[in-house]
Amino acid sequence: DTRTHHIHVVEYQGKEWQQQIFFRDYLKEHPQAVKEYETLKVKLQKQYINIIQIGILTINIIHCSF
């Protein structure tokens, strides 16, 4: 896989935008959460290798656990 970027297009200051900003800011403030997020993404990617939207799936799982 040679992808280097992933772009989300959402309504400015809408619910999805706010969730993305919250998630970004949370990860910036919690380095351990970054490691856990990375571990979970790798695990899910191996488990569900055919799912194209693995990043979205992971974000939804983490949002539910806050």
Side-chain angles (χ1 to χ4, degrees), residues 36-46 54-55 58:
E36 293 170 7
Y37 176 62
E38 179 183 21
T39 300
L40 180 58
K41 279 190 80 165
V42 169
K43 177 183 173 185
L44 290 173
Q45 185 178 24
K46 289 177 183 176
I54 191 73
T58 306

Side-chain angles (χ1 to χ4, degrees), residues 7-60:
I7 298 172
H8 292 265
V9 178
V10 298
E11 180 182 349
Y12 178 65
Q13 294 187 342
K15 183 178 179 180
E16 291 178 34
W17 182 86
Q18 291 175 2
Q19 289 175 336
Q20 293 291 332
I21 297 301
F22 171 81
F23 185 65
R24 179 203 66 190
D25 292 348
Y26 182 86
L27 290 179
K28 282 182 171 182
E29 295 176 15
H30 298 89
Q32 183 60 35
V34 173
K35 293 175 186 174
E36 293 170 7
Y37 176 62
E38 179 183 21
T39 300
L40 180 58
K41 279 190 80 165
V42 169
K43 177 183 173 185
L44 290 173
Q45 185 178 24
K46 289 177 183 176
Q47 188 174 354
Y48 301 103
I49 197 151
N50 293 325
I51 295 177
I52 295 170
Q53 297 181 327
I54 191 73
I56 294 170
L57 173 64
T58 306
I59 288 170
N60 288 336

